[in-house]
Short mmCIF file of all heavy atoms in Angstrom, two decimals:
data_model
loop_
_atom_site.label_atom_id
_atom_site.label_comp_id
_atom_site.label_asym_id
_atom_site.label_seq_id
_atom_site.Cartn_x
_atom_site.Cartn_y
_atom_site.Cartn_z
N HIS A 1 92.79 37.43 61.43
CA HIS A 1 91.67 37.33 62.37
C HIS A 1 92.14 37.06 63.79
O HIS A 1 91.48 37.46 64.76
CB HIS A 1 90.70 36.25 61.90
CG HIS A 1 89.98 36.60 60.63
ND1 HIS A 1 89.41 35.68 59.79
CD2 HIS A 1 89.75 37.82 60.06
CE1 HIS A 1 88.87 36.29 58.76
NE2 HIS A 1 89.06 37.59 58.90
N GLU A 2 93.28 36.40 63.94
CA GLU A 2 93.85 36.19 65.28
C GLU A 2 94.14 37.53 65.95
O GLU A 2 94.09 37.63 67.18
CB GLU A 2 95.14 35.38 65.18
CG GLU A 2 94.94 33.90 64.95
CD GLU A 2 96.26 33.16 64.82
OE1 GLU A 2 97.32 33.78 65.07
OE2 GLU A 2 96.23 31.96 64.48
N SER A 3 94.47 38.54 65.15
CA SER A 3 94.79 39.87 65.68
C SER A 3 93.62 40.83 65.59
O SER A 3 93.77 42.02 65.88
CB SER A 3 95.99 40.45 64.92
OG SER A 3 97.12 39.62 65.08
N GLY A 4 92.47 40.34 65.15
CA GLY A 4 91.28 41.19 65.08
C GLY A 4 91.22 42.08 63.86
O GLY A 4 90.42 43.02 63.81
N ALA A 5 92.04 41.81 62.85
CA ALA A 5 92.05 42.62 61.63
C ALA A 5 91.10 42.03 60.59
O ALA A 5 90.87 40.82 60.55
CB ALA A 5 93.46 42.70 61.05
N LEU A 6 90.56 42.91 59.76
CA LEU A 6 89.75 42.49 58.63
C LEU A 6 90.66 42.13 57.45
O LEU A 6 91.80 42.60 57.37
CB LEU A 6 88.80 43.61 58.20
CG LEU A 6 87.71 44.03 59.18
CD1 LEU A 6 86.98 45.27 58.66
CD2 LEU A 6 86.72 42.90 59.43
N VAL A 7 90.13 41.33 56.54
CA VAL A 7 90.86 40.97 55.33
C VAL A 7 90.01 41.33 54.12
O VAL A 7 88.86 40.90 54.00
CB VAL A 7 91.20 39.47 55.30
CG1 VAL A 7 91.84 39.09 53.96
CG2 VAL A 7 92.11 39.10 56.44
N SER A 8 90.58 42.15 53.23
CA SER A 8 89.92 42.45 51.96
C SER A 8 90.76 41.87 50.84
O SER A 8 91.99 41.90 50.89
CB SER A 8 89.74 43.96 51.77
OG SER A 8 90.97 44.65 51.80
N VAL A 9 90.09 41.33 49.83
CA VAL A 9 90.78 40.70 48.70
C VAL A 9 90.26 41.29 47.40
O VAL A 9 89.05 41.22 47.12
CB VAL A 9 90.58 39.17 48.69
CG1 VAL A 9 91.22 38.56 47.44
CG2 VAL A 9 91.18 38.55 49.95
N ASP A 10 91.16 41.89 46.64
CA ASP A 10 90.83 42.32 45.29
C ASP A 10 91.09 41.14 44.36
O ASP A 10 92.24 40.78 44.12
CB ASP A 10 91.69 43.53 44.90
CG ASP A 10 91.33 44.09 43.52
OD1 ASP A 10 90.70 43.36 42.72
OD2 ASP A 10 91.70 45.25 43.24
N ALA A 11 90.02 40.55 43.86
CA ALA A 11 90.13 39.36 43.01
C ALA A 11 89.74 39.67 41.57
O ALA A 11 89.30 38.77 40.84
CB ALA A 11 89.25 38.24 43.56
N THR A 12 89.93 40.91 41.15
CA THR A 12 89.54 41.33 39.80
C THR A 12 90.16 40.46 38.72
O THR A 12 89.52 40.14 37.71
CB THR A 12 89.94 42.81 39.57
OG1 THR A 12 89.20 43.64 40.47
CG2 THR A 12 89.67 43.24 38.15
N PHE A 13 91.43 40.07 38.89
CA PHE A 13 92.14 39.28 37.88
C PHE A 13 91.49 37.91 37.67
O PHE A 13 91.70 37.28 36.64
CB PHE A 13 93.60 39.09 38.29
CG PHE A 13 94.58 39.86 37.45
CD1 PHE A 13 94.31 41.15 37.03
CD2 PHE A 13 95.80 39.31 37.09
CE1 PHE A 13 95.21 41.86 36.25
CE2 PHE A 13 96.72 40.01 36.32
CZ PHE A 13 96.42 41.28 35.90
N ALA A 14 90.74 37.44 38.65
CA ALA A 14 90.12 36.11 38.55
C ALA A 14 88.63 36.19 38.26
O ALA A 14 88.05 35.21 37.77
CB ALA A 14 90.33 35.33 39.85
N GLY A 15 87.99 37.33 38.54
CA GLY A 15 86.54 37.36 38.46
C GLY A 15 85.95 36.52 39.59
O GLY A 15 86.65 35.74 40.23
N PRO A 16 84.65 36.65 39.86
CA PRO A 16 84.05 35.92 40.99
C PRO A 16 83.67 34.48 40.64
O PRO A 16 82.78 33.91 41.25
CB PRO A 16 82.79 36.75 41.29
CG PRO A 16 82.41 37.32 39.97
CD PRO A 16 83.69 37.57 39.21
N ILE A 17 84.36 33.89 39.68
CA ILE A 17 84.10 32.51 39.28
C ILE A 17 85.32 31.64 39.52
O ILE A 17 85.22 30.48 39.91
CB ILE A 17 83.70 32.44 37.79
CG1 ILE A 17 82.36 33.14 37.55
CG2 ILE A 17 83.63 30.99 37.30
CD1 ILE A 17 81.18 32.48 38.22
N CYS A 18 86.51 32.19 39.33
CA CYS A 18 87.74 31.40 39.41
C CYS A 18 88.30 31.31 40.82
O CYS A 18 89.16 30.46 41.08
CB CYS A 18 88.80 31.98 38.47
SG CYS A 18 88.31 31.93 36.73
N ILE A 19 87.88 32.18 41.72
CA ILE A 19 88.34 32.12 43.10
C ILE A 19 87.23 32.69 43.99
O ILE A 19 86.48 33.58 43.56
CB ILE A 19 89.67 32.90 43.29
CG1 ILE A 19 90.30 32.55 44.64
CG2 ILE A 19 89.49 34.39 43.13
CD1 ILE A 19 91.74 33.05 44.77
N TYR A 20 87.09 32.17 45.20
CA TYR A 20 86.03 32.58 46.11
C TYR A 20 86.64 33.04 47.43
O TYR A 20 86.68 32.28 48.41
CB TYR A 20 85.04 31.44 46.34
CG TYR A 20 84.27 31.06 45.10
CD1 TYR A 20 84.77 30.13 44.20
CD2 TYR A 20 83.05 31.68 44.81
CE1 TYR A 20 84.08 29.79 43.05
CE2 TYR A 20 82.34 31.35 43.66
CZ TYR A 20 82.86 30.41 42.79
OH TYR A 20 82.16 30.09 41.64
N PRO A 21 87.12 34.29 47.50
CA PRO A 21 87.82 34.77 48.70
C PRO A 21 87.00 34.67 49.99
O PRO A 21 87.56 34.37 51.05
CB PRO A 21 88.12 36.23 48.35
CG PRO A 21 88.19 36.25 46.87
CD PRO A 21 87.14 35.29 46.43
N LEU A 22 85.68 34.91 49.90
CA LEU A 22 84.86 34.87 51.13
C LEU A 22 84.83 33.46 51.71
O LEU A 22 84.85 33.29 52.93
CB LEU A 22 83.45 35.36 50.83
CG LEU A 22 83.32 36.80 50.35
CD1 LEU A 22 81.86 37.14 50.05
CD2 LEU A 22 83.88 37.79 51.37
N LYS A 23 84.80 32.46 50.85
CA LYS A 23 84.80 31.08 51.32
C LYS A 23 86.16 30.68 51.87
O LYS A 23 86.27 29.69 52.61
CB LYS A 23 84.39 30.14 50.19
CG LYS A 23 82.94 30.33 49.74
CD LYS A 23 82.57 29.40 48.60
CE LYS A 23 81.12 29.63 48.17
NZ LYS A 23 80.74 28.73 47.04
N LEU A 24 87.19 31.44 51.51
CA LEU A 24 88.55 31.17 52.01
C LEU A 24 88.85 31.95 53.29
O LEU A 24 89.96 31.86 53.82
CB LEU A 24 89.58 31.53 50.94
CG LEU A 24 89.52 30.69 49.66
CD1 LEU A 24 90.41 31.31 48.58
CD2 LEU A 24 89.94 29.25 49.94
N GLY A 25 87.88 32.73 53.78
CA GLY A 25 88.05 33.43 55.04
C GLY A 25 88.14 34.93 54.96
O GLY A 25 88.19 35.61 55.98
N ALA A 26 88.15 35.50 53.75
CA ALA A 26 88.19 36.95 53.62
C ALA A 26 86.89 37.56 54.13
O ALA A 26 85.82 36.94 54.07
CB ALA A 26 88.42 37.35 52.17
N ASP A 27 86.97 38.79 54.61
CA ASP A 27 85.79 39.51 55.08
C ASP A 27 85.12 40.30 53.96
O ASP A 27 83.91 40.46 53.96
CB ASP A 27 86.19 40.47 56.20
CG ASP A 27 86.81 39.75 57.38
OD1 ASP A 27 86.07 39.07 58.10
OD2 ASP A 27 88.05 39.85 57.56
N LEU A 28 85.94 40.79 53.03
CA LEU A 28 85.44 41.61 51.94
C LEU A 28 86.10 41.18 50.63
O LEU A 28 87.31 41.00 50.57
CB LEU A 28 85.75 43.09 52.21
CG LEU A 28 85.11 43.70 53.46
CD1 LEU A 28 85.83 44.98 53.87
CD2 LEU A 28 83.62 43.96 53.23
N GLU A 29 85.30 41.02 49.61
CA GLU A 29 85.78 40.65 48.28
C GLU A 29 85.48 41.82 47.33
O GLU A 29 84.35 42.31 47.29
CB GLU A 29 85.07 39.39 47.79
CG GLU A 29 85.43 38.97 46.38
CD GLU A 29 84.71 37.71 45.94
OE1 GLU A 29 84.18 36.97 46.81
OE2 GLU A 29 84.67 37.45 44.72
N ILE A 30 86.50 42.26 46.61
CA ILE A 30 86.38 43.45 45.78
C ILE A 30 86.67 43.10 44.32
O ILE A 30 87.59 42.32 44.04
CB ILE A 30 87.37 44.55 46.23
CG1 ILE A 30 87.20 44.83 47.73
CG2 ILE A 30 87.18 45.84 45.42
CD1 ILE A 30 88.33 45.65 48.34
N HIS A 31 85.89 43.69 43.41
CA HIS A 31 86.13 43.52 41.98
C HIS A 31 85.94 44.83 41.25
O HIS A 31 85.03 45.61 41.59
CB HIS A 31 85.15 42.51 41.36
CG HIS A 31 85.30 41.12 41.85
ND1 HIS A 31 86.15 40.21 41.26
CD2 HIS A 31 84.70 40.47 42.88
CE1 HIS A 31 86.06 39.05 41.90
NE2 HIS A 31 85.19 39.19 42.89
#
């Protein structure tokens, strides 16, 4: 974000229960 880039996180291995990428600063969460 300091450089103006987006962050996408593929969290399929965790499912949307074991990790919360958006709350950690990611812009897009993918499963």
Side-chain angles (χ1 to χ4, degrees):
H1 292 158
E2 284 178 8
S3 299
L6 295 173
V7 174
S8 59
V9 175
D10 183 341
T12 296
F13 251 40
I17 294 295
C18 297
I19 194 168
Y20 294 88
L22 298 178
K23 294 179 180 179
L24 295 170
D27 301 288
L28 299 161
E29 177 179 343
I30 307 167
H31 294 271

